[in-house]
């Protein structure tokens, strides 16, 4: 297939977007773009440069002096800053605690949107996940999906992930963190977290990880085969 086929997967934190998107992309033979990782890398850049998370202009200037690269030579792809692999470091709590604020700046979002569209030029079959992929970055994507889950389920999943990494947390604290991040992501004026109009909605609250990936694969294959309007995009 020579035409570009983009599948967007958006939704709040803790819906399992990243891991489900990675496996979905593998099954479809598509590349996968984790746009949250890109914003996390920008947050790390700000931390390392000693720039306040609220200073969009300084963060943008630091970005312009750096090379932020999504390296597709590994599976799943990893994120690099000036060649340095930061894909583990960007998951640390100091990054997580400021990323939503860093991602709220217009100057930062403009650069990320441009970089994400650039990736799509060279990776024509792409599963891309984040908060604004189906609304702002690729509104004409062939398939647009909204993943959701009840907040307490999302908090429990995130807490289990952190415990698996040896980090001691309780579900209530994680739920507060997720609620804060959701409200900040939804409330910003630039690229807010929002369900794309017409997107296919999948609530993962009562599904296992395997079931989520199976459902996603079925949705995409059905949409691409039938080019249905209900897939939330233009025909593939
Ligand atoms: O999916 P994640 O938790 O790794 O995302 C990290 C943060 O980045 C999250 O608070 C929202 C922000 N983000 C965004 O604003 N736009 C995107 N397309 C992806 C993530």
């Amino acid at each position: 297939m020579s035409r570009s086929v983009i599948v967007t997967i958006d939704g709040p934190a803790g819906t399992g977007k990243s891991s489900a998107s990675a496996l979905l992309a593998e099954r479809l033979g598509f590349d996968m773009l984790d746009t949250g990782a890109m914003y996390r890398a920008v947050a790390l850049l700000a931390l390392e440069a000693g720039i306040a998370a609220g200073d969009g202009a300084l963060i943008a200037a630091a970005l312009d002096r750096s090379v932020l690269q999504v390296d597709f030579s590994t599976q799943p792809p990893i994120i690099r800053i000036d060649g340095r692999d930061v894909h583990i470091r960007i998951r640390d709590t100091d990054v997580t605690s400021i990323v939503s604020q860093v991602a709220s700046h217009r100057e930062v979002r403009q650069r990320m949107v441009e970089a994400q569209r650039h990736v799509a030029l060279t990776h024509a079959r792409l599963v891309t996940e984040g908060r604004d992929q189906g609304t702002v970055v690729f509104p004409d994507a062939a398939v647009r999906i909204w993943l959701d889950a009840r907040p307490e389920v999302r908090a429990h999943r995130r807490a289990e992930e952190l415990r698996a990494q040896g980090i001691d947390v309780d579900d209530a604290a994680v739920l507060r963190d997720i609620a804060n991040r959701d409200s900040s992501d939804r409330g910003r004026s630039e690229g807010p977290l929002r369900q794309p109009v017409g997107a296919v909605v999948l609530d993962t609250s009562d599904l296992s990880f395997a079931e989520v990936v199976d459902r996603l694969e079925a949705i995409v294959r059905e949409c691409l085969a039938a080019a249905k309007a209900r897939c939330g995009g233009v025909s593939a």
Side-chain angles (χ1 to χ4, degrees), residues 146-161:
W146 175 256
L147 272 196
D148 210 346
R150 294 187 294 275
E152 63 277 12
V153 173
R154 296 192 280 121
H156 180 67
R157 285 180 185 154
R158 190 46 64 94
E160 290 288 290
E161 264 173 34

Side-chain angles (χ1 to χ4, degrees), residues 10-54:
D10 291 302
T15 47
K17 284 188 312 291
S18 299
S19 10
S21 300
L23 191 51
L24 173 69
E26 198 182 315
R27 287 199 193 165
L28 296 170
F30 281 31
D31 291 316
M32 186 258 185
L33 182 62
D34 174 352
T35 62
M38 297 173 73
Y39 285 98
R40 284 171 179 275
V42 181
L44 177 60
L45 190 67
L47 271 179
E48 291 182 338
I51 302 169

Side-chain angles (χ1 to χ4, degrees), residues 13 17-18 34-37 39-40 91 99-100 103 109 116 129-133 158 181 185 188:
K17 284 188 312 291
S18 299
D34 174 352
T35 62
Y39 285 98
R40 284 171 179 275
R91 305 286 155 193
V99 62
S100 193
R109 299 204 72 83
Q116 289 154 15
E129 65 97 346
R131 305 292 193 284
D132 59 347
Q133 299 300 285
R158 190 46 64 94
R181 223 142 51 91
D185 291 344
R188 66 176 173 238

Side-chain angles (χ1 to χ4, degrees), residues 33-98:
L33 182 62
D34 174 352
T35 62
M38 297 173 73
Y39 285 98
R40 284 171 179 275
V42 181
L44 177 60
L45 190 67
L47 271 179
E48 291 182 338
I51 302 169
D55 196 333
L58 267 191
I59 297 172
L63 251 180
D64 291 342
R65 290 192 303 272
S66 312
V67 179
L68 196 151
Q69 180 207 0
V70 184
D71 180 354
F72 283 89
S73 68
T74 66
Q75 204 51 258
I78 57 169
I79 193 105
R80 294 182 185 278
I81 299 175
D82 295 328
R84 180 167 50 104
D85 175 3
V86 295
H87 85 282
I88 307 269
R89 176 70 181 92
I90 59 171
R91 305 286 155 193
D92 288 346
T93 47
D94 56 346
V95 173
T96 302
S97 66
I98 64 160

